[in-house]
Amino acid sequence: GAAAEEPEEEDPFAYMDAVNVLSQIPTSFWGGLEEKKWSLRREQLDILLKLLEAAPKLETGDYSAVVKALRKVVEKDANVVCVSRAVECLERLAAGLRADFGREAKFCFVPLLEKSKDKNKNIQNSIPRCLDTLWTSHCVSLGDIMEDFLATTKHKVPLVRSVAVAWFARCLRNPQRMGFGIKTSQIKPLLLQMVTSLDDQDASVRDSAAAIFGSLIGLLGEKKLLPYIEKLDAVRQKKVREQIPEAKSAPAPAP
């Protein structure tokens, strides 16, 4: 991008040596994930996790087979320990590849949210952390996943809606250098959905929707969003206004 007005902090990631992890994955990994015994499946995931933990920056390469295998664990494995390990591996891949994980990140986004309906504590911790890493490691922009996000806000399981909307709210409060990447054409469907989500039966969804609405007023200005604000009753308008961040320059959505 163009030079910023203020000097950016040095990013230590730029100076790290990239590690080739793909060549270190043992051939037993692939068959091991199909083992009947959960402890044997976990063993293989632990091997991969150790390799990834030792490599904060990963060499670019074709990770599609690894990600496909991990996604299958997230979607199909009945053991919560194995699922959590697979999610941790995806988080490490996102952190180590950053923007190079973009295609895979989009491939995993819905399965991760879908799995968040599991009330297990490990899964409830690991999935939001992984989703946050997709954002803070610049793997996806909010525009990239908008369609999937909006579909998930209508999910029949309240916990899935709650995890999705809370994640989006956190992203808007945590601007990245690349901006949010929200396209102008996406703002209307996003706001209309937040108007609906402010009526959700789940209180945490309502709270996060108010935070998203407030952040967007902070970014785009109240005048622009008046048609949407006017759709809310006085109670909800107050709830949204309480969520408008203190004025400070934040990157505007991409045109």
Side-chain angles (χ1 to χ4, degrees), residues 122-255:
N122 290 338
I123 290 177
Q124 283 307 316
N125 289 333
S126 60
I127 287 181
R129 213 174 48 227
C130 182
L131 291 168
D132 285 350
T133 303
L134 296 183
W135 172 244
T136 56
S137 294
H138 315 149
C139 305
V140 289
S141 77
L142 297 182
D144 289 336
I145 49 76
M146 184 68 77
E147 213 174 303
D148 288 332
F149 166 69
L150 290 176
T152 312
T153 60
K154 302 173 180 72
H155 201 282
K156 60 183 187 296
V157 179
L159 192 51
V160 174
R161 299 197 301 273
S162 171
V163 169
V165 182
W167 173 76
F168 201 94
R170 287 197 300 279
C171 294
L172 284 175
R173 292 288 156 99
N174 186 9
Q176 300 300 310
R177 281 198 308 274
M178 61 195 180
F180 294 110
I182 300 174
K183 299 172 190 72
T184 308
S185 62
Q186 294 174 326
I187 288 168
K188 183 180 177 180
L190 173 60
L191 282 160
L192 288 174
Q193 182 52 49
M194 290 309 105
V195 170
T196 305
S197 294
L198 274 158
D199 264 338
D200 198 282
Q201 67 195 67
D202 188 282
S204 65
V205 175
R206 297 196 297 273
D207 292 346
S208 296
I212 291 170
F213 215 128
S215 292
L216 290 170
I217 293 172
L219 288 167
L220 301 169
E222 189 161 330
K223 206 168 134 200
K224 228 176 186 169
L225 303 195
L226 217 49
Y228 305 98
I229 297 168
E230 285 169 352
K231 290 179 187 293
L232 305 172
D233 65 16
V235 174
R236 286 172 184 78
Q237 282 196 29
K238 182 174 182 285
K239 193 175 168 77
V240 164
R241 285 182 199 286
E242 284 166 357
Q243 294 294 331
I244 300 173
E246 294 302 306
K248 65 173 193 288
S249 63

Side-chain angles (χ1 to χ4, degrees), residues 2 12 16 20 52 57 70 74 116 170-171 179-180 228 248 253:
M16 286 177 190
N20 181 346
L52 294 171
K57 184 178 185 175
L70 293 170
V74 171
S116 70
R170 287 197 300 279
C171 294
F180 294 110
Y228 305 98
K248 65 173 193 288

Side-chain angles (χ1 to χ4, degrees), residues 11-79:
D11 184 358
F13 190 80
Y15 301 103
M16 286 177 190
D17 290 325
V19 179
N20 181 346
V21 160
L22 288 171
S23 63
Q24 299 178 52
I25 297 173
T27 42
S28 59
F29 174 76
W30 309 100
L33 290 184
E34 304 296 330
E35 288 283 359
K36 289 272 181 282
K37 217 169 155 192
W38 76 269
S39 57
L40 296 175
R41 300 196 301 277
R42 186 199 60 196
E43 232 165 71
Q44 296 307 321
L45 292 162
D46 281 342
I47 289 167
L48 178 60
L49 191 56
K50 269 205 173 65
L51 289 172
L52 294 171
E53 283 173 344
K57 184 178 185 175
L58 297 168
E59 236 177 58
T60 53
D62 185 0
Y63 288 84
S64 54
V66 179
V67 173
K68 203 174 167 187
L70 293 170
R71 173 178 154 157
K72 190 178 170 188
V73 175
V74 171
E75 289 181 311
K76 304 263 193 282
D77 203 305
N79 184 273

